[in-house]
Amino acid sequence: MSPAQCKQTDEKLGSLRGRLKIPLFLMATGAGLLGSLSMTFLKGMTESFEENGVFGSFSLYGYLILSLCLSVFQLNLLNMTMEIYDQIEIIPIYNSSMILLNICAGAIVLNEKLYYTWGELCLIILCGCISIVGVWVIIYKPVSISEEVRPEPLQEHLPPKAGLDQTLD
């Protein structure tokens, strides 16, 4: 596509461009959610281990199996997202969602909010809001023409391919 054609396409798409990255957000945040759930189950496993020992409870093995399954799904979703979108956009969204969801899971499930003062909780919320604004900037940043049009390699400068129909002398 020429730059003029890109500009015409850009005018036709209009507000659709912002919606094109919504699956990026959902897939990267979903991988972060799965990672956070896996971490929460690992924390539950260590709590169960401290209370009951290695053979004291079946919940220990349930937490371990559930955590391993969630980790496999997390890596699968993250790899699938990286096949579709650029890593420079995926990793910040994934990391910020995983950190924020781990903080929320620890505060709600394990009642870790009791270990913080009100000032520390306010700073955690402020930093979470900054992370959310950063993700918003990544999702709604304008796409430049160089990102839209990725030129194909020139075939005339490549050496000829050796095939079955060519004979070697």
Side-chain angles (χ1 to χ4, degrees), residues 124-151:
I124 288 173
I125 292 170
L126 176 68
C127 291
C129 291
I130 292 171
S131 295
I132 291 170
V133 168
V135 168
W136 183 81
V137 167
I138 290 172
I139 290 176
Y140 287 106
K141 75 174 181 152
V143 178
S144 66
I145 292 176
S146 63
E147 291 176 353
E148 288 178 5
V149 180
R150 297 187 182 179

Side-chain angles (χ1 to χ4, degrees), residues 77-142:
L77 183 59
L78 190 60
N79 285 336
M80 189 179 357
T81 308
M82 283 192 216
E83 287 177 7
I84 300 170
Y85 296 100
D86 291 331
Q87 292 179 7
I88 196 79
E89 295 176 338
I90 296 167
I91 298 302
I93 296 172
Y94 165 72
N95 282 337
S96 61
S97 66
M98 189 161 170
I99 289 169
L100 291 175
L101 292 170
N102 273 333
I103 290 171
C104 291
I108 295 169
V109 175
L110 298 174
N111 211 14
E112 290 178 354
K113 63 182 176 257
L114 298 176
Y115 299 116
Y116 297 110
T117 64
W118 280 104
E120 291 170 339
L121 285 174
C122 290
L123 286 176
I124 288 173
I125 292 170
L126 176 68
C127 291
C129 291
I130 292 171
S131 295
I132 291 170
V133 168
V135 168
W136 183 81
V137 167
I138 290 172
I139 290 176
Y140 287 106
K141 75 174 181 152

Side-chain angles (χ1 to χ4, degrees), residues 28-46:
T29 305
L33 176 65
L34 290 173
S36 176
L37 284 173
S38 176
M39 185 66 70
T40 303
F41 284 125
L42 285 175
K43 287 180 182 179
M45 183 184 78
T46 57

